[in-house]
Amino acid sequence: MRYHQTALISLLSLTLIVTAAWAGAPTDQLKSRVDEVIRVLDDPAFKDNPAERRERVRKIAEEIFDYPDTARRSLGPHWNVRTPQEREEFTKLFSELLDRSYVSKIDLYQGEKVKYVGETVNGPEAIVKTTIATKSGTELPIDYRMHQKDGQWRVYDVVIEGVSLVSNYRTQFNKIVQTESYDSLVQKLKARGGAPAASPR
């Protein structure tokens, strides 16, 4: 349950007010999307229209998160044996999973603050390190794993207190495929509206 809560905070960090302590290309591109989200959250026109506000935030998230690659990594070795049609379907279902689990919870934002504390770049890969100040006064370390795609830096994984979002889903998905079947995983994703299994934490 705690993982779900911190994962929610991490993905909502695209909506948080950022204090930049370090700036590089990956950080700059992430921050540019943060600024867009803040403008949406502060726009009086959306105060009484939460559905429109969530849709605007969702579109911004799609510009910084590489959902297809995150879906591929989360399915793990089972991705390699999928047909192009199956991969497309799974990517769509996985995107809806993240949307229902996180982006749709945008209204839970209560002004938590996140700051960038570091950035490392290794060729086409990068890690942007952040911390989020919670209401209880603690700081949660959250790392964004990014890579270059089509000339832009895109997030493909989020690591919360040392726990990878991709690894967490891959464990759940792998268990379902091995103990049941891939078709069973797809049906669970469809039937449960993007909640195939409970969080392991």
Side-chain angles (χ1 to χ4, degrees), residues 22-197:
W22 202 102
T27 304
D28 287 344
Q29 291 186 26
L30 186 64
K31 185 179 184 301
S32 71
R33 296 300 183 265
V34 170
D35 291 342
E36 290 182 40
V37 173
I38 291 174
R39 283 194 290 270
V40 171
L41 294 178
D42 289 340
D43 192 336
F46 299 121
K47 295 297 183 181
D48 298 323
N49 192 344
E52 177 65 17
R53 181 170 58 184
R54 287 193 294 269
E55 181 60 27
R56 293 295 183 93
V57 171
R58 182 182 299 112
K59 289 181 178 179
I60 296 171
E62 290 174 351
E63 295 175 359
I64 192 62
F65 280 92
D66 188 349
Y67 289 124
D69 193 65
T70 304
R72 176 184 66 82
R73 294 171 186 267
S74 296
L75 192 57
H78 306 294
W79 176 271
N80 296 331
V81 295
R82 304 272 69 85
T83 67
Q85 292 76 18
E86 288 175 327
R87 292 177 179 179
E88 182 178 358
E89 178 186 39
F90 180 80
T91 298
K92 179 176 181 296
L93 291 171
F94 184 77
S95 298
E96 292 172 352
L97 160 64
L98 294 183
D99 178 53
R100 289 190 177 96
S101 298
Y102 307 114
V103 178
S104 63
K105 305 292 192 303
I106 191 69
D107 294 331
L108 297 179
Y109 168 68
Q110 296 181 349
E112 294 89 353
K113 290 181 172 57
V114 59
K115 63 180 179 180
Y116 295 138
V117 296
E119 174 186 289
T120 58
V121 179
N122 184 13
E125 301 279 331
I127 297 176
V128 176
K129 293 182 176 294
T130 72
T131 60
I132 292 183
T134 67
K135 295 297 183 181
S136 63
T138 61
E139 288 193 344
L140 293 175
I142 308 224
D143 297 348
Y144 291 89
R145 292 176 176 171
M146 307 178 73
H147 62 183
Q148 287 184 315
K149 183 176 182 180
D150 300 327
Q152 296 185 1
W153 288 97
R154 306 287 292 273
V155 175
Y156 67 83
D157 192 13
V158 181
V159 181
I160 307 140
E161 294 183 298
V163 179
S164 161
L165 186 73
V166 165
S167 295
N168 181 52
Y169 279 123
R170 186 163 56 225
T171 298
Q172 296 181 55
F173 295 160
N174 184 60
K175 182 178 179 180
I176 294 173
V177 173
Q178 288 191 332
T179 59
E180 300 177 42
S181 67
Y182 174 76
D183 289 339
S184 179
L185 170 61
V186 170
Q187 292 307 312
K188 289 178 185 295
L189 284 168
K190 291 179 178 178
R192 301 183 185 182

